[in-house]
Structures are given as C-alpha cells and as structure tokens.
Amino acid sequence: MARGRRAERRARQVGFALTAAAALLVPADCTSHAGAGTAPSRAGTNTAVLPPAPALPHLKVMASLKLHQITYLVPTPTALWALGGPNRRLSEIDPRTTTVLKTVTLPHPAGFGTYTNGSLWISSFADSVVMEVDPASGRVIRTIRGSSATPIDHPGGLVALGSDLWVIQHRKAILTRINARTGKVTGNVALPGHSADSPRFASGRIWVPLATTDDTVIARIDPATASLDGPPIHVGSITCATNSLVDGTLWLTSTGDPPCGTAARALDTRTSEVSPIRYGPDKDLYEVASTGGSTWASDTTGTIYRLDTKSGKVTPSLTLEGHPDFNRLLTAFGSLWISRGDTGRIVRISVT
C-alpha cells in the first residue's frame, strides 16, 4: 500500500524477501528529578523537601539472538517461535534461557502465524497455503490449500477463536474461516477495500484494516454469523504499515510516504471510535505493545519509543544501531521482544 523507498521495503516484508544483517541496541538514558519547596510553620519557616518525581520507565536489554530472516513471532504456552519467511526456517526459543531449542525447515515459506488447539498455524503468502505444525516435533501435520469453491490466495495474518481459524487473503480482501479440528475451509467473508492487513479479535468482533482508493477503513466481522457488523469505520487518512492490538485499542501505523498518512491512529474497539490524536507524526511508527505499565512503539528505522496514549507524546527510549529495519514488538513471558526482519535479530527487553 505504501510508495517509494518504504513501499519497496514493505513489499519485501509482505513478500518475505528479507536480508540478514547485524544490529546492536543501546538503551536511552533516563533521569528523574526532585523538587524542593518551603512550608511555613508556627515556629518559623521550615524547608520541606518534596518527594522525587517517579522515574520514567526504562528499557533494559536482557538478551539478544542472531537468527535467520524473521517475518513473525508466535508465542505458545511454553515457547516463542520465530518464522523465517522465504528461507522456510522455523525456530523455537526457550523463554527461560532465551536460547534456541531447535530449528526446522518447512516445505513452504512462513509468513504469519498463531497458536490454537495445541498446534502452530502458519500462513505462506508466497505459496498460498496454510500449514498446521506440531510444536513438539516441528513436523507439518497438514497443509491446507482450499478448494476451487473456496480458494486460499496469498494468505496473511491469522486469528484463532475456539475451533475456528480466521485467515486474511491479503490481495482479495477476503476473510477465510477454517475449522482447526478438521482443516476444512468453511466459508469466506468479502470485505470492503482492495487489500487487507492482519485480523485482530477484540470486544467480541474481528477487526480488519483495509485500504480503499483514498482512505483506510476498518471492517468489523461478527464471528458468530460470519458477516459484516455495520458499515466500515473510516480512519480519515491512509495508513500504510501494519496494525497492533493493545489492551482493547487497535493501532494503525503509517510509513509517511504519499499517499500514506504521517502518524499512527488509534481505535477503541469498545466504542468503535477513532481517537482524534495523531500519534508520532513523521516518526514512521510501525508496531505497538504494552508492558511494565507503559505503551511502547517501534518505527521502521531503529528507535523504540514510550507512547503516552492520552497526550500523544512519543519519547525515544531505545536506539537500535545498524541498518534501518521493520521492528516488530511483542509482549510475552513478562518481557518485550523486538524482532528485526531484515537483520534477523531478536532482542529481549525488560522494563524497569
């Protein structure tokens, strides 16, 4: 959906053509301030020192792993899985030691994934299939290609609800439902727009951002009826990067290249209202996550920001050295995880 230099990088990210490079992380300096004042008393004037202002949350690097190319991170109850895009690798990371337990090679490129009913479900955008993978062995249990009546064409993000798996067909703006027990495609929901981003589930609905000719809209789908729930919600300016779901808020980010917008937008899934605040104008914000009582945002170059959801202020908190990259954020196992797709590095962060 984006244009120019960032559009080319976005196309590589969607198409899973990534390159590896090194990255170093340097946490930004954080300071606290104390104030002083005077208070009168009957005996005279006493100097009372006010308590220090609370320190801003600080990001601290716990561990860093250099892996293969990375398109997505999928947490399970016991591990974190790194999907390798065109190299077809799938790596299991032990969250207790932040070490790689095993790496397997899949028969198809792995782009997006989720976990449900004891299995990893991985979509292959390049090969138009969805794979069910056994996390214990890394073996592909089955491969779903759809049918002539309900084809699967360039699948992207997935969301799991009970025994149903919902997969977005990016190019056709179709949401496909798969029975996770049988592996059968059970239906399609046509969506407004000409391309779609990853689906998210919140407030009893599935939310899908879509690009139209001159706008970005959000479609709401009722999973019980497999149908659209009301008219699409207009965001107001085109967003061209990705979306994140954090504490009931759907965040839509943008690359800033024309005709894309220049700031992230936020939609409250409980009220279906879009916040009037434009977050991080000209910051190229990419993904959003929450941990340590704060909200954090990455960009498409090399900075992690603390995001004030009420005022819209973004504060640089971590600098990633190396080549510009798409920096995905994930909260799992009590930490903030950063994956850099092009550089193939995963960094585990604590918030102090």
Side-chain angles (χ1 to χ4, degrees):
M1 290 186 285
R3 300 291 187 270
R5 174 179 61 82
R6 296 186 185 88
E8 294 177 1
R9 287 169 48 214
R10 173 60 173 161
R12 293 201 308 272
Q13 190 267 346
V14 174
F16 316 133
L18 307 174
T19 57
L24 298 175
L25 290 94
V26 181
D29 181 41
C30 293
T31 58
S32 62
H33 304 277
T38 58
S41 68
R42 294 179 181 177
T45 302
N46 296 329
T47 300
V49 179
L50 297 177
L56 291 175
H58 182 69
L59 298 181
K60 180 181 178 181
V61 177
M62 297 174 60
S64 178
L65 292 175
K66 180 66 173 71
L67 294 176
H68 44 71
Q69 304 159 5
I70 304 169
T71 57
Y72 212 72
L73 294 178
V74 180
T76 69
T78 59
L80 187 66
W81 293 81
L83 281 59
N87 61 37
R88 299 183 297 160
R89 292 179 183 175
L90 178 65
S91 294
E92 181 184 12
I93 300 170
D94 185 348
R96 297 169 300 175
T97 60
T98 320
T99 56
V100 178
L101 295 177
K102 64 173 174 283
T103 297
V104 299
T105 301
L106 299 171
H108 303 281
F112 296 85
T114 191
Y115 175 83
T116 189
N117 291 289
S119 295
L120 288 167
W121 293 84
I122 299 171
S123 64
S124 177
F125 180 90
D127 288 356
S128 291
V129 300
V130 175
M131 296 172 285
E132 181 183 4
V133 177
D134 176 16
S137 64
R139 179 180 61 88
V140 176
I141 299 174
R142 56 186 156 197
T143 302
I144 303 169
R145 294 179 170 83
S147 65
S148 57
T150 53
I152 296 176
D153 183 20
H154 293 88
L158 311 89
V159 63
L161 300 176
S163 61
D164 286 330
L165 187 71
W166 298 83
V167 186
I168 198 68
Q169 297 189 42
H170 171 72
R171 291 182 175 176
K172 292 185 176 180
I174 292 176
L175 188 63
T176 297
R177 182 170 61 181
I178 298 173
N179 187 307
R181 294 194 179 99
T182 65
K184 301 294 185 182
V185 176
T186 58
N188 287 324
V189 181
L191 306 175
H194 54 72
S195 59
D197 198 19
S198 295
R200 309 291 179 183
F201 178 75
S203 304
R205 297 291 181 267
I206 300 173
W207 305 77
V208 183
L210 298 119
T212 64
T213 303
D214 56 0
D215 196 3
T216 295
V217 299
I218 309 297
R220 294 164 290 182
I221 297 90
D222 183 348
T225 61
S227 61
L228 291 171
D229 181 23
I233 302 169
H234 291 263
V235 177
S237 62
I238 294 179
T239 57
C240 302
T242 187
N243 76 84
S244 310
L245 182 65
V246 180
D247 301 329
T249 298
L250 184 68
W251 293 89
L252 298 99
T253 55
S254 183
T255 61
D257 280 339
C260 304
T262 58
R265 305 302 303 274
L267 181 145
D268 189 334
T269 61
R270 290 153 292 201
T271 63
S272 298
E273 294 181 356
V274 178
S275 170
I277 299 175
R278 296 178 180 271
Y279 296 85
D282 303 318
K283 298 294 186 183
D284 287 355
L285 298 183
Y286 187 56
E287 285 201 333
V288 179
S290 176
T291 188
S294 296
T295 301
W296 308 91
S298 64
D299 65 10
T300 58
T301 53
T303 304
I304 307 299
Y305 301 88
R306 181 175 180 268
L307 194 156
D308 189 320
T309 59
K310 294 182 179 179
S311 69
K313 181 181 179 181
V314 292
T315 305
S317 300
L318 187 71
T319 300
L320 287 71
E321 296 183 350
H323 297 291
D325 205 344
F326 289 94
N327 303 299
R328 289 194 177 278
L329 296 184
L330 174 70
T331 301
F333 305 104
S335 301
L336 184 68
W337 301 77
I338 303 172
S339 65
R340 310 199 74 196
D342 286 346
T343 62
R345 186 172 290 276
I346 295 178
V347 180
R348 187 174 190 174
I349 305 294
S350 68
V351 180
T352 60

